[in-house]
Amino acid sequence: MPLDDALTARMADSGFWAAYLFEDDAAEPEFDEEDAESFSAEFQVAEGLGLVLELDVATGYFDLALTAPELPEPVTVGWDDQAHFHPHTMRWSELDLLARAVALRDPQLRHPGPMLALLARFVVLDEQDDPDAITPLMDAALRMVRPGPLSGLRPETRDWFELRDLRGCGLRWTATDHGCLAVEQPDLDSTTHDLYSLRAPGSADFPFAAWAALLDQAEQALVRATGAASLQTPAMRDALSRCDTDEGHAHLEPLAAALQTADWVHPVLVRALTEPVSREESCWAVETLAGLPRGSLVRRRYGPSRMAGAQSWELCLTIATERRPAERARLLISELHDALKQEGLGRAEITGSEMARRGESGSLMDVSASADVLIRDDLPRGLSLISQILRRHDAADTAELRYASPPRASVPIP
């Protein structure tokens, strides 16, 4: 069983996803070495070939490993924590492919669903990734596993997309001798986000041959699921083509009826059309049955994603604390975070403080506190809110605001 009863029960708890996604308001887990909260989830594409996710919720450490018949033991392909992470393991297209293949093998793992929600943290996005084809699937996966908005862009989806978005950061994918792509970031000096991946060209730590086999077996699983000759009849192709439109969801019932008369169609695909948990689930089923490019129907069915035109600005805020208690700066930043979050404008997080020797004794004292600030979509409104809170705390005259990206230009505080 890929998700055992203990993990399934834990995922249903309201605090699990806040902790797993490193959300700012996640409760601090009570860590007890004798009763560590750790789980394991397996996602098999073929016998002995798949991915294993180890979750240590208490410490916030999550490890993804690849299993293959030729490997003596699972090999780590990525990990994520809040310290020395290397989460950039796979492309979105690879995760989508693997999740479809696993859903065909294990009916309990519907797609989009738990696998996508759990493993999306190991994706790296680049210029080839289209938000229109991606965000509806992520929204649907999160709706299945976590209570929240029933429509529209999920906050978790936006957080994830921005965190894994390395478009414009100079990623370069090159083919290895095993037919598997490797990724690198040649120019580190001119990028806003760094790549952290074991999948570098020439890396001895990444199992390129086994990863290529994993993807190949996933592709073959989809081919086998649609190999029935009856899927090629004129009547069936006509039924499929009617579903391949903007209003295709209205034609799912006739397609499902036609599939009932076919000599054999994979039951998971039939269920996705007759009893879909979400419209996104029926989309991937139609794409698979009709041989459409993955994500093409999702893109057409849902239209432009809010992430397609979304903007965000990463800022660094420095607050002088030399003549006032450092606790006041922490309270200010906490208040700023709450205000930004309430207005849907972003977030703020304290990152540290600077100390210097002052006075005749030369004792160390805090002279400033710093925070990372994220403003989304409306920079002037976000700056206005920052200004209001700084002035409320009588800190605007000594505060400094800069862009986080080079050349780290100063930002005037209104």
Side-chain angles (χ1 to χ4, degrees):
M1 180 182 293
L3 302 180
D4 61 23
D5 293 341
L7 176 55
T8 300
R10 187 65 177 91
M11 287 170 58
D13 182 84
S14 59
F16 171 82
W17 289 102
Y20 185 70
L21 299 175
F22 297 151
E23 291 180 347
D24 298 324
D25 51 359
E28 288 291 334
E30 296 182 3
F31 179 63
D32 184 347
E33 290 186 0
E34 296 182 357
D35 188 28
E37 190 180 19
S38 58
F39 306 94
S40 179
E42 297 184 14
F43 306 98
Q44 287 207 346
V45 171
E47 191 63 34
L49 185 62
L51 297 172
V52 179
L53 175 65
E54 299 289 346
L55 306 91
D56 194 328
V57 182
T59 62
Y61 186 89
F62 310 108
D63 181 275
L64 184 66
L66 174 64
T67 62
E70 67 271 24
L71 298 175
E73 60 184 15
V75 175
T76 292
V77 291
W79 72 90
D80 200 13
D81 58 14
Q82 293 181 295
H84 306 293
F85 41 78
H86 271 64
H88 299 141
T89 301
M90 69 185 98
R91 312 185 87 169
W92 167 263
S93 59
E94 294 174 338
L95 177 57
D96 187 23
L97 165 64
L98 294 171
R100 295 178 188 219
V102 170
L104 293 174
R105 181 180 174 87
D106 189 333
Q108 295 184 46
L109 288 173
R110 304 183 79 137
H111 177 62
M115 182 174 174
L116 215 61
L118 287 169
L119 298 192
R121 71 182 318 130
F122 296 101
V123 163
V124 57
L125 302 168
D126 64 14
E127 282 76 9
Q128 296 190 38
D129 291 310
D130 184 354
D132 298 350
I134 294 174
T135 56
L137 292 179
M138 280 301 300
D139 288 334
L142 290 162
R143 283 199 305 270
M144 179 180 289
V145 301
R146 187 186 194 190
L150 298 179
S151 61
L153 184 70
R154 298 268 304 206
E156 308 99 313
T157 298
R158 178 156 193 179
D159 288 342
W160 164 78
F161 196 99
E162 290 179 341
L163 186 62
R164 298 297 180 235
D165 184 10
L166 268 68
R167 293 177 298 172
C169 293
L171 297 195
R172 184 167 66 193
W173 294 87
T174 54
T176 68
D177 294 338
H178 306 288
C180 178
L181 293 176
V183 64
E184 59 184 332
Q185 191 179 38
D187 188 2
L188 293 175
D189 294 333
S190 61
T191 184
T192 56
H193 295 88
D194 293 337
L195 176 73
Y196 295 97
S197 180
L198 296 176
R199 197 171 166 174
S203 171
D205 297 322
F206 194 86
F208 288 102
W211 188 267
L214 179 75
L215 299 179
D216 180 66
Q217 285 295 316
E219 292 282 8
Q220 291 187 38
L222 267 63
V223 171
R224 289 193 298 271
T226 56
S230 55
L231 288 178
Q232 305 304 319
T233 64
M236 187 67 72
R237 302 313 297 178
D238 180 65
L240 283 167
S241 66
R242 292 177 184 274
C243 294
D244 181 21
T245 63
D246 294 346
E247 299 299 324
H249 61 278
H251 301 283
L252 292 179
E253 188 173 336
L255 173 60
L259 290 174
Q260 302 292 344
T261 65
D263 51 3
W264 186 86
V265 177
H266 200 292
V268 166
L269 295 175
V270 175
R271 183 187 64 180
L273 297 173
T274 57
E275 304 173 66
V277 171
S278 63
R279 287 174 57 185
E280 291 87 351
E281 184 180 20
S282 64
C283 280
W284 84 262
V286 172
E287 289 175 356
T288 301
L289 290 165
L292 300 172
R294 287 188 284 273
S296 59
L297 184 55
V298 173
R299 183 186 301 109
R300 189 160 58 254
R301 190 76 59 85
Y302 288 90
S305 165
R306 276 184 56 194
M307 289 307 302
Q311 290 182 291
S312 62
W313 296 266
E314 294 182 3
L315 310 174
C316 295
L317 175 64
T318 303
I319 302 168
T321 59
E322 186 172 359
R323 294 181 176 84
R324 63 185 68 203
E327 180 63 24
R328 289 188 62 183
R330 288 189 284 271
L331 291 173
L332 185 156
I333 294 168
S334 177
E335 182 180 331
L336 175 60
H337 171 77
D338 291 342
L340 289 169
K341 188 172 182 180
Q342 182 177 352
E343 295 295 323
L345 285 171
R347 58 179 178 267
E349 179 182 8
I350 193 164
T351 54
S353 61
E354 181 182 353
M355 303 186 75
R357 297 192 180 277
R358 291 289 189 270
E360 295 181 359
S361 64
S363 60
L364 283 171
M365 63 181 297
D366 286 323
V367 295
S368 66
S370 56
D372 289 339
V373 181
L374 176 72
I375 304 297
R376 287 171 168 162
D377 298 332
D378 192 336
L379 181 60
R381 187 173 163 217
L383 293 177
S384 176
L385 188 56
I386 293 173
S387 175
Q388 291 174 31
I389 292 176
L390 287 174
R391 296 186 187 286
R392 187 180 305 156
H393 288 263
D394 193 26
D397 293 340
T398 56
E400 181 182 45
L401 194 61
R402 292 184 175 275
Y403 290 105
S405 302
R408 307 185 188 281
S410 177
V411 182
I413 297 174

